PDB file of all heavy atoms in Angstrom:
ATOM      1  N   ASP A  21       5.043 -67.956 -18.559  1.00  0.00           N
ATOM      2  CA  ASP A  21       6.371 -67.612 -18.041  1.00  0.00           C
ATOM      3  C   ASP A  21       7.419 -68.581 -18.577  1.00  0.00           C
ATOM      4  O   ASP A  21       8.527 -68.162 -18.960  1.00  0.00           O
ATOM      5  CB  ASP A  21       6.358 -67.628 -16.515  1.00  0.00           C
ATOM      6  CG  ASP A  21       5.501 -66.516 -15.920  1.00  0.00           C
ATOM      7  OD1 ASP A  21       5.179 -65.548 -16.642  1.00  0.00           O
ATOM      8  OD2 ASP A  21       5.118 -66.644 -14.731  1.00  0.00           O
ATOM      9  N   TRP A  22       7.107 -69.873 -18.581  1.00  0.00           N
ATOM     10  CA  TRP A  22       8.049 -70.858 -19.125  1.00  0.00           C
ATOM     11  C   TRP A  22       8.286 -70.631 -20.613  1.00  0.00           C
ATOM     12  O   TRP A  22       9.409 -70.740 -21.097  1.00  0.00           O
ATOM     13  CB  TRP A  22       7.516 -72.266 -18.889  1.00  0.00           C
ATOM     14  CG  TRP A  22       7.743 -72.787 -17.507  1.00  0.00           C
ATOM     15  CD1 TRP A  22       8.770 -72.491 -16.661  1.00  0.00           C
ATOM     16  CD2 TRP A  22       6.925 -73.731 -16.808  1.00  0.00           C
ATOM     17  NE1 TRP A  22       8.641 -73.187 -15.478  1.00  0.00           N
ATOM     18  CE2 TRP A  22       7.525 -73.961 -15.540  1.00  0.00           C
ATOM     19  CE3 TRP A  22       5.747 -74.410 -17.125  1.00  0.00           C
ATOM     20  CZ2 TRP A  22       6.985 -74.825 -14.604  1.00  0.00           C
ATOM     21  CZ3 TRP A  22       5.197 -75.286 -16.192  1.00  0.00           C
ATOM     22  CH2 TRP A  22       5.819 -75.490 -14.947  1.00  0.00           C
ATOM     23  N   LEU A  23       7.221 -70.320 -21.347  1.00  0.00           N
ATOM     24  CA  LEU A  23       7.355 -70.066 -22.776  1.00  0.00           C
ATOM     25  C   LEU A  23       8.186 -68.817 -23.028  1.00  0.00           C
ATOM     26  O   LEU A  23       8.983 -68.759 -23.973  1.00  0.00           O
ATOM     27  CB  LEU A  23       5.970 -69.917 -23.410  1.00  0.00           C
ATOM     28  CG  LEU A  23       5.141 -71.209 -23.490  1.00  0.00           C
ATOM     29  CD1 LEU A  23       3.664 -70.877 -23.671  1.00  0.00           C
ATOM     30  CD2 LEU A  23       5.632 -72.097 -24.634  1.00  0.00           C
ATOM     31  N   ALA A  24       8.018 -67.812 -22.181  1.00  0.00           N
ATOM     32  CA  ALA A  24       8.731 -66.555 -22.360  1.00  0.00           C
ATOM     33  C   ALA A  24      10.237 -66.717 -22.169  1.00  0.00           C
ATOM     34  O   ALA A  24      11.034 -66.084 -22.880  1.00  0.00           O
ATOM     35  CB  ALA A  24       8.189 -65.504 -21.393  1.00  0.00           C
ATOM     36  N   ASN A  25      10.639 -67.562 -21.205  1.00  0.00           N
ATOM     37  CA  ASN A  25      12.080 -67.702 -20.952  1.00  0.00           C
ATOM     38  C   ASN A  25      12.706 -68.881 -21.688  1.00  0.00           C
ATOM     39  O   ASN A  25      13.892 -69.184 -21.480  1.00  0.00           O
ATOM     40  CB  ASN A  25      12.357 -67.788 -19.438  1.00  0.00           C
ATOM     41  CG  ASN A  25      11.767 -69.051 -18.801  1.00  0.00           C
ATOM     42  OD1 ASN A  25      11.549 -70.071 -19.447  1.00  0.00           O
ATOM     43  ND2 ASN A  25      11.503 -68.965 -17.484  1.00  0.00           N
ATOM     44  N   GLY A  26      11.929 -69.549 -22.542  1.00  0.00           N
ATOM     45  CA  GLY A  26      12.464 -70.627 -23.358  1.00  0.00           C
ATOM     46  C   GLY A  26      12.540 -71.972 -22.680  1.00  0.00           C
ATOM     47  O   GLY A  26      13.035 -72.947 -23.271  1.00  0.00           O
ATOM     48  N   ALA A  27      12.052 -72.069 -21.438  1.00  0.00           N
ATOM     49  CA  ALA A  27      12.084 -73.347 -20.729  1.00  0.00           C
ATOM     50  C   ALA A  27      11.094 -74.344 -21.313  1.00  0.00           C
ATOM     51  O   ALA A  27      11.255 -75.564 -21.172  1.00  0.00           O
ATOM     52  CB  ALA A  27      11.795 -73.133 -19.247  1.00  0.00           C
ATOM     53  N   LEU A  28      10.043 -73.840 -21.962  1.00  0.00           N
ATOM     54  CA  LEU A  28       9.008 -74.676 -22.566  1.00  0.00           C
ATOM     55  C   LEU A  28       8.853 -74.240 -24.014  1.00  0.00           C
ATOM     56  O   LEU A  28       8.842 -73.047 -24.315  1.00  0.00           O
ATOM     57  CB  LEU A  28       7.688 -74.484 -21.815  1.00  0.00           C
ATOM     58  CG  LEU A  28       6.472 -75.311 -22.258  1.00  0.00           C
ATOM     59  CD1 LEU A  28       6.711 -76.798 -21.980  1.00  0.00           C
ATOM     60  CD2 LEU A  28       5.209 -74.844 -21.519  1.00  0.00           C
ATOM     61  N   ARG A  29       8.746 -75.216 -24.908  1.00  0.00           N
ATOM     62  CA  ARG A  29       8.539 -74.870 -26.312  1.00  0.00           C
ATOM     63  C   ARG A  29       7.389 -75.683 -26.886  1.00  0.00           C
ATOM     64  O   ARG A  29       7.022 -76.742 -26.361  1.00  0.00           O
ATOM     65  CB  ARG A  29       9.811 -75.051 -27.133  1.00  0.00           C
ATOM     66  CG  ARG A  29      10.310 -76.477 -27.305  1.00  0.00           C
ATOM     67  CD  ARG A  29      11.655 -76.459 -27.998  1.00  0.00           C
ATOM     68  NE  ARG A  29      12.200 -77.785 -28.225  1.00  0.00           N
ATOM     69  CZ  ARG A  29      12.038 -78.471 -29.351  1.00  0.00           C
ATOM     70  NH1 ARG A  29      11.328 -77.964 -30.343  1.00  0.00           N
ATOM     71  NH2 ARG A  29      12.585 -79.671 -29.500  1.00  0.00           N
ATOM     72  N   VAL A  30       6.858 -75.177 -27.968  1.00  0.00           N
ATOM     73  CA  VAL A  30       5.704 -75.791 -28.624  1.00  0.00           C
ATOM     74  C   VAL A  30       6.188 -76.621 -29.803  1.00  0.00           C
ATOM     75  O   VAL A  30       7.042 -76.172 -30.575  1.00  0.00           O
ATOM     76  CB  VAL A  30       4.714 -74.722 -29.109  1.00  0.00           C
ATOM     77  CG1 VAL A  30       3.507 -75.365 -29.777  1.00  0.00           C
ATOM     78  CG2 VAL A  30       4.286 -73.825 -27.949  1.00  0.00           C
ATOM     79  N   VAL A  31       5.641 -77.827 -29.944  1.00  0.00           N
ATOM     80  CA  VAL A  31       5.919 -78.671 -31.108  1.00  0.00           C
ATOM     81  C   VAL A  31       4.703 -78.619 -32.024  1.00  0.00           C
ATOM     82  O   VAL A  31       3.606 -78.999 -31.629  1.00  0.00           O
ATOM     83  CB  VAL A  31       6.209 -80.124 -30.686  1.00  0.00           C
ATOM     84  CG1 VAL A  31       6.441 -80.997 -31.916  1.00  0.00           C
ATOM     85  CG2 VAL A  31       7.419 -80.181 -29.754  1.00  0.00           C
ATOM     86  N   VAL A  32       4.892 -78.110 -33.226  1.00  0.00           N
ATOM     87  CA  VAL A  32       3.808 -77.987 -34.204  1.00  0.00           C
ATOM     88  C   VAL A  32       4.028 -78.990 -35.320  1.00  0.00           C
ATOM     89  O   VAL A  32       5.089 -79.019 -35.951  1.00  0.00           O
ATOM     90  CB  VAL A  32       3.733 -76.557 -34.773  1.00  0.00           C
ATOM     91  CG1 VAL A  32       2.729 -76.481 -35.916  1.00  0.00           C
ATOM     92  CG2 VAL A  32       3.358 -75.576 -33.675  1.00  0.00           C
ATOM     93  N   ASP A  33       3.022 -79.802 -35.560  1.00  0.00           N
ATOM     94  CA  ASP A  33       3.110 -80.823 -36.608  1.00  0.00           C
ATOM     95  C   ASP A  33       2.819 -80.216 -37.975  1.00  0.00           C
ATOM     96  O   ASP A  33       3.580 -80.389 -38.915  1.00  0.00           O
ATOM     97  CB  ASP A  33       2.123 -81.956 -36.313  1.00  0.00           C
ATOM     98  CG  ASP A  33       2.206 -83.077 -37.330  1.00  0.00           C
ATOM     99  OD1 ASP A  33       3.038 -83.978 -37.132  1.00  0.00           O
ATOM    100  OD2 ASP A  33       1.445 -83.047 -38.326  1.00  0.00           O
ATOM    101  N   GLU A  34       1.688 -79.508 -38.089  1.00  0.00           N
ATOM    102  CA  GLU A  34       1.303 -78.918 -39.369  1.00  0.00           C
ATOM    103  C   GLU A  34       0.352 -77.753 -39.118  1.00  0.00           C
ATOM    104  O   GLU A  34      -0.355 -77.724 -38.108  1.00  0.00           O
ATOM    105  CB  GLU A  34       0.630 -79.963 -40.267  1.00  0.00           C
ATOM    106  CG  GLU A  34       0.513 -79.554 -41.720  1.00  0.00           C
ATOM    107  CD  GLU A  34       0.263 -80.725 -42.664  1.00  0.00           C
ATOM    108  OE1 GLU A  34       0.410 -81.890 -42.234  1.00  0.00           O
ATOM    109  OE2 GLU A  34      -0.077 -80.447 -43.827  1.00  0.00           O
ATOM    110  N   VAL A  35       0.355 -76.803 -40.056  1.00  0.00           N
ATOM    111  CA  VAL A  35      -0.492 -75.614 -39.953  1.00  0.00           C
ATOM    112  C   VAL A  35      -1.466 -75.599 -41.119  1.00  0.00           C
ATOM    113  O   VAL A  35      -1.063 -75.753 -42.273  1.00  0.00           O
ATOM    114  CB  VAL A  35       0.355 -74.324 -39.957  1.00  0.00           C
ATOM    115  CG1 VAL A  35      -0.548 -73.102 -39.859  1.00  0.00           C
ATOM    116  CG2 VAL A  35       1.371 -74.340 -38.819  1.00  0.00           C
ATOM    117  N   TYR A  36      -2.769 -75.420 -40.800  1.00  0.00           N
ATOM    118  CA  TYR A  36      -3.815 -75.372 -41.811  1.00  0.00           C
ATOM    119  C   TYR A  36      -4.541 -74.034 -41.734  1.00  0.00           C
ATOM    120  O   TYR A  36      -4.799 -73.543 -40.634  1.00  0.00           O
ATOM    121  CB  TYR A  36      -4.860 -76.472 -41.583  1.00  0.00           C
ATOM    122  CG  TYR A  36      -4.387 -77.883 -41.783  1.00  0.00           C
ATOM    123  CD1 TYR A  36      -3.723 -78.565 -40.766  1.00  0.00           C
ATOM    124  CD2 TYR A  36      -4.642 -78.562 -42.972  1.00  0.00           C
ATOM    125  CE1 TYR A  36      -3.307 -79.872 -40.934  1.00  0.00           C
ATOM    126  CE2 TYR A  36      -4.240 -79.879 -43.149  1.00  0.00           C
ATOM    127  CZ  TYR A  36      -3.572 -80.524 -42.128  1.00  0.00           C
ATOM    128  OH  TYR A  36      -3.168 -81.826 -42.298  1.00  0.00           O
ATOM    129  N   PRO A  37      -4.917 -73.464 -42.875  1.00  0.00           N
ATOM    130  CA  PRO A  37      -5.824 -72.313 -42.823  1.00  0.00           C
ATOM    131  C   PRO A  37      -7.222 -72.779 -42.437  1.00  0.00           C
ATOM    132  O   PRO A  37      -7.576 -73.954 -42.639  1.00  0.00           O
ATOM    133  CB  PRO A  37      -5.790 -71.779 -44.261  1.00  0.00           C
ATOM    134  CG  PRO A  37      -5.474 -72.970 -45.096  1.00  0.00           C
ATOM    135  CD  PRO A  37      -4.553 -73.823 -44.258  1.00  0.00           C
ATOM    136  N   VAL A  38      -8.030 -71.900 -41.883  1.00  0.00           N
ATOM    137  CA  VAL A  38      -9.346 -72.292 -41.395  1.00  0.00           C
ATOM    138  C   VAL A  38     -10.229 -72.838 -42.518  1.00  0.00           C
ATOM    139  O   VAL A  38     -11.126 -73.657 -42.266  1.00  0.00           O
ATOM    140  CB  VAL A  38     -10.024 -71.107 -40.679  1.00  0.00           C
ATOM    141  CG1 VAL A  38     -10.472 -70.038 -41.665  1.00  0.00           C
ATOM    142  CG2 VAL A  38     -11.181 -71.579 -39.814  1.00  0.00           C
ATOM    143  N   ASP A  39      -9.980 -72.436 -43.761  1.00  0.00           N
ATOM    144  CA  ASP A  39     -10.767 -72.971 -44.879  1.00  0.00           C
ATOM    145  C   ASP A  39     -10.552 -74.471 -45.066  1.00  0.00           C
ATOM    146  O   ASP A  39     -11.371 -75.131 -45.711  1.00  0.00           O
ATOM    147  CB  ASP A  39     -10.409 -72.244 -46.180  1.00  0.00           C
ATOM    148  CG  ASP A  39     -10.866 -70.794 -46.166  1.00  0.00           C
ATOM    149  OD1 ASP A  39     -11.861 -70.495 -45.472  1.00  0.00           O
ATOM    150  OD2 ASP A  39     -10.230 -69.958 -46.829  1.00  0.00           O
ATOM    151  N   ARG A  40      -9.477 -75.008 -44.487  1.00  0.00           N
ATOM    152  CA  ARG A  40      -9.189 -76.449 -44.584  1.00  0.00           C
ATOM    153  C   ARG A  40      -9.387 -77.120 -43.219  1.00  0.00           C
ATOM    154  O   ARG A  40      -8.708 -78.068 -42.879  1.00  0.00           O
ATOM    155  CB  ARG A  40      -7.765 -76.663 -45.098  1.00  0.00           C
ATOM    156  CG  ARG A  40      -7.540 -76.180 -46.521  1.00  0.00           C
ATOM    157  CD  ARG A  40      -6.069 -76.238 -46.894  1.00  0.00           C
ATOM    158  NE  ARG A  40      -5.515 -77.582 -46.747  1.00  0.00           N
ATOM    159  CZ  ARG A  40      -4.198 -77.849 -46.692  1.00  0.00           C
ATOM    160  NH1 ARG A  40      -3.319 -76.855 -46.709  1.00  0.00           N
ATOM    161  NH2 ARG A  40      -3.777 -79.096 -46.563  1.00  0.00           N
ATOM    162  N   ILE A  41     -10.345 -76.627 -42.446  1.00  0.00           N
ATOM    163  CA  ILE A  41     -10.552 -77.114 -41.088  1.00  0.00           C
ATOM    164  C   ILE A  41     -10.877 -78.604 -41.058  1.00  0.00           C
ATOM    165  O   ILE A  41     -10.442 -79.325 -40.158  1.00  0.00           O
ATOM    166  CB  ILE A  41     -11.664 -76.306 -40.371  1.00  0.00           C
ATOM    167  CG1 ILE A  41     -11.778 -76.708 -38.894  1.00  0.00           C
ATOM    168  CG2 ILE A  41     -13.007 -76.437 -41.085  1.00  0.00           C
ATOM    169  CD1 ILE A  41     -10.569 -76.379 -38.065  1.00  0.00           C
ATOM    170  N   ALA A  42     -11.626 -79.110 -42.036  1.00  0.00           N
ATOM    171  CA  ALA A  42     -11.965 -80.541 -42.044  1.00  0.00           C
ATOM    172  C   ALA A  42     -10.705 -81.393 -42.150  1.00  0.00           C
ATOM    173  O   ALA A  42     -10.571 -82.419 -41.473  1.00  0.00           O
ATOM    174  CB  ALA A  42     -12.925 -80.850 -43.192  1.00  0.00           C
ATOM    175  N   GLU A  43      -9.755 -80.968 -42.990  1.00  0.00           N
ATOM    176  CA  GLU A  43      -8.495 -81.700 -43.111  1.00  0.00           C
ATOM    177  C   GLU A  43      -7.709 -81.639 -41.805  1.00  0.00           C
ATOM    178  O   GLU A  43      -7.096 -82.640 -41.397  1.00  0.00           O
ATOM    179  CB  GLU A  43      -7.645 -81.111 -44.232  1.00  0.00           C
ATOM    180  CG  GLU A  43      -8.211 -81.262 -45.629  1.00  0.00           C
ATOM    181  CD  GLU A  43      -7.343 -80.539 -46.643  1.00  0.00           C
ATOM    182  OE1 GLU A  43      -6.142 -80.878 -46.743  1.00  0.00           O
ATOM    183  OE2 GLU A  43      -7.852 -79.624 -47.320  1.00  0.00           O
ATOM    184  N   ALA A  44      -7.716 -80.486 -41.168  1.00  0.00           N
ATOM    185  CA  ALA A  44      -6.986 -80.331 -39.915  1.00  0.00           C
ATOM    186  C   ALA A  44      -7.533 -81.254 -38.833  1.00  0.00           C
ATOM    187  O   ALA A  44      -6.773 -81.924 -38.121  1.00  0.00           O
ATOM    188  CB  ALA A  44      -7.054 -78.871 -39.456  1.00  0.00           C
ATOM    189  N   VAL A  45      -8.853 -81.297 -38.714  1.00  0.00           N
ATOM    190  CA  VAL A  45      -9.468 -82.161 -37.693  1.00  0.00           C
ATOM    191  C   VAL A  45      -9.201 -83.629 -38.008  1.00  0.00           C
ATOM    192  O   VAL A  45      -8.877 -84.426 -37.115  1.00  0.00           O
ATOM    193  CB  VAL A  45     -10.976 -81.885 -37.587  1.00  0.00           C
ATOM    194  CG1 VAL A  45     -11.647 -82.893 -36.657  1.00  0.00           C
ATOM    195  CG2 VAL A  45     -11.224 -80.465 -37.082  1.00  0.00           C
ATOM    196  N   ALA A  46      -9.316 -84.013 -39.270  1.00  0.00           N
ATOM    197  CA  ALA A  46      -9.050 -85.408 -39.660  1.00  0.00           C
ATOM    198  C   ALA A  46      -7.610 -85.784 -39.337  1.00  0.00           C
ATOM    199  O   ALA A  46      -7.337 -86.894 -38.853  1.00  0.00           O
ATOM    200  CB  ALA A  46      -9.334 -85.591 -41.146  1.00  0.00           C
ATOM    201  N   HIS A  47      -6.687 -84.875 -39.580  1.00  0.00           N
ATOM    202  CA  HIS A  47      -5.275 -85.135 -39.290  1.00  0.00           C
ATOM    203  C   HIS A  47      -5.063 -85.318 -37.793  1.00  0.00           C
ATOM    204  O   HIS A  47      -4.369 -86.247 -37.358  1.00  0.00           O
ATOM    205  CB  HIS A  47      -4.434 -83.978 -39.820  1.00  0.00           C
ATOM    206  CG  HIS A  47      -2.964 -84.149 -39.626  1.00  0.00           C
ATOM    207  ND1 HIS A  47      -2.285 -85.310 -39.941  1.00  0.00           N
ATOM    208  CD2 HIS A  47      -2.014 -83.292 -39.135  1.00  0.00           C
ATOM    209  CE1 HIS A  47      -1.003 -85.181 -39.667  1.00  0.00           C
ATOM    210  NE2 HIS A  47      -0.810 -83.960 -39.163  1.00  0.00           N
TER     211      HIS A  47
END
């Protein structure tokens, strides 16, 4: 509900494809 009305937002540092999962976990 908070996300829907804009009261809460997500902070994303970086996006990895699943083929690079080891890099994502290390990060």
Side-chain angles (χ1 to χ4, degrees):
D21 293 343
W22 280 330
L23 290 160
N25 65 25
L28 182 66
R29 67 187 181 94
V30 181
V31 178
V32 173
D33 183 87
E34 195 162 348
V35 180
Y36 293 83
V38 72
D39 292 332
R40 295 172 57 197
I41 186 65
E43 294 175 59
V45 173
H47 182 48

